[in-house]
Structure formats: structure tokens, C-alpha cells
Amino acid sequence: AVVSTQSGHYAGSCVEELPRLNVSYKPQEISPKFQGTVRQMLHDKIRNAYVYPQFVTDVIKPLQIEKLYDQQVQNLSGGEIQRVAICLCLGKPADVYLIDEPSAHLDSEQRLHAAKVIKRYILHAKKTAFVVEHDFIMGTYLADRVVVFEGEPSVDTKACTPQTLLSGMNKFLESLEITFRRDPTNFRPRVNKMESLKVCWL
């Protein structure tokens, strides 16, 4: 390898050329410009994926995209656009998937479905995904490992070594002095009040 600097060149250095990766990206803000139906857009953007039986089973059906096939893209609601955008992102062949806030505009049930779809697809395809998510519950469904940052943000911060989901989330919650309990009827996490006696980590 040859490295160029202001003072000249260094030949035969140990610098390795970085591999080229195909990336599929779902942005945080989605402003659809496609003129036509959802079916037409999927046919145009991910023609091979959206008719592939495994993709239909793993992505199309759980996200209920088929119900939107004949709707105009410009007339979709925020939640419908989000589900279609997730489908489009996963339908593109890529090495890395960048998914920014997939929970936006989705209700609680749809968030869980979306989280399961993303995780199952990435695991089955043996790919890598970076998901930016501020919804705590959805984050716990998506994550395999957790890196907890400690200290004063932007001033003096350190990143802890990656931990299991359980220990990492508990460490994060403990730093915020927040505890959860499981709802006895639906088993979903509920935040305890400060100094509650019902202390239970995840």
C-alpha cells in the first residue's frame, strides 16, 4: 500500500484497503415521492424480494404490507409509510442495514412486530444491522449486546465493554435509578415509582 501525506509518500506501509460494503438505509424522516401504488413501488424498488416466498413470510405478512398493495403511496399514513419503508430497506440486498428509528409513528403492537421482523430477518440472512432507536422496549427486543456509556455526556465519558442484554440494560437502568416490574396480565415491563418497594430488574 502507498500512503500519501503532505510531506510525500510512504511505500509498503501496513495500511489495508477497507472492504467495500453494500448498505441499505432507512432514514428517520420519510418523505415519499413515488407516484403510484405500494405494489408498483415494491415492484420497482425490490422486485425480486417482494415476491420471494421467504421474504413474504418473514417481512411482508408480519408487517401487513399486503393490505396496502393497492393504496397510493402519497395517501399512506405515517405508520403505514414506516412499515413500507422497513420493508423496502430489508428488501434490498446489502451487507449492512442502517435503520433509523423504525418505531416512529407505530403503535405499541406494531412496534413489537417490526422489532421481531427486523431481528429475525437479519439473523436468518446472517447480515449486520445498526438500529437507532429511542423506544426502550423496542430496543430491548432488537439488541443482542449492550454497550453502556458512563460519565458526563460530551465532557468525560467512557464506554463499558459489551455486555449481555440483561446485565447491560440493568446497569443502564441502575445508573438512572429506574426499576421495572412485569405487568401480571400482559407481562409487559412497567416503570416503578421512585422508591417503590416493587423493585425488579429486567
Side-chain angles (χ1 to χ4, degrees):
V2 177
V3 180
S4 298
T5 66
Q6 292 181 346
S7 58
H9 298 81
Y10 296 101
S13 71
C14 296
V15 177
E16 296 182 5
E17 186 173 336
L18 295 175
R20 293 183 178 274
L21 298 175
N22 293 316
V23 176
S24 181
Y25 173 56
K26 188 206 79 68
Q28 178 180 355
E29 298 295 332
I30 306 168
S31 301
K33 298 180 176 60
F34 188 87
Q35 299 295 328
T37 66
V38 171
R39 187 193 306 272
Q40 291 170 334
M41 182 170 67
L42 294 178
H43 183 78
D44 183 53
K45 303 292 186 182
I46 55 170
R47 183 175 307 179
N48 294 330
Y50 99 101
V51 295
Y52 184 61
Q54 192 66 47
F55 189 80
V56 171
T57 300
D58 290 347
V59 179
I60 298 285
K61 288 185 180 297
L63 292 179
Q64 299 181 327
I65 302 298
E66 291 173 315
K67 296 180 180 180
L68 307 176
Y69 275 172
D70 297 322
Q71 293 194 35
Q72 292 291 317
V73 174
Q74 296 297 320
N75 295 335
L76 296 177
S77 68
E80 291 168 343
I81 291 172
Q82 188 68 248
R83 283 151 49 202
V84 171
I86 293 171
C87 178
L88 285 173
C89 179
L90 296 178
K92 295 176 182 177
D95 302 298
V96 177
Y97 292 84
L98 305 179
I99 306 175
D100 195 351
E101 291 204 42
S103 68
H105 306 292
L106 300 182
D107 62 33
S108 58
E109 292 297 328
Q110 291 173 338
R111 290 182 180 194
L112 296 183
H113 286 309
K116 291 177 181 178
V117 164
I118 293 169
K119 187 165 188 175
R120 185 188 306 120
Y121 182 82
I122 295 300
L123 289 176
H124 285 178
K126 297 181 180 179
K127 302 296 184 179
T128 298
F130 291 91
V131 183
V132 176
E133 184 53 68
H134 296 128
D135 182 280
F136 184 84
I137 304 303
M138 191 166 183
T140 60
Y141 271 85
L142 285 167
D144 291 314
R145 306 278 286 175
V146 176
V147 176
V148 178
F149 290 81
E150 297 179 333
E152 187 177 354
S154 303
V155 178
D156 183 17
T157 306
K158 71 171 184 177
C160 300
T161 56
Q163 304 173 57
T164 64
L165 177 63
L166 184 63
S167 62
M169 285 299 184
N170 281 337
K171 185 178 182 67
F172 172 68
L173 291 172
E174 187 176 14
S175 69
L176 299 177
E177 298 183 358
I178 293 176
T179 61
F180 278 77
R181 68 184 185 280
R182 291 284 182 185
D183 190 298
T185 55
N186 57 26
F187 303 106
R188 290 182 179 172
R190 300 295 184 197
V191 178
N192 289 322
K193 295 180 180 179
M194 289 294 289
E195 300 179 358
S196 170
L197 296 178
K198 298 178 181 180
V199 176
C200 174
W201 300 113
L202 292 177

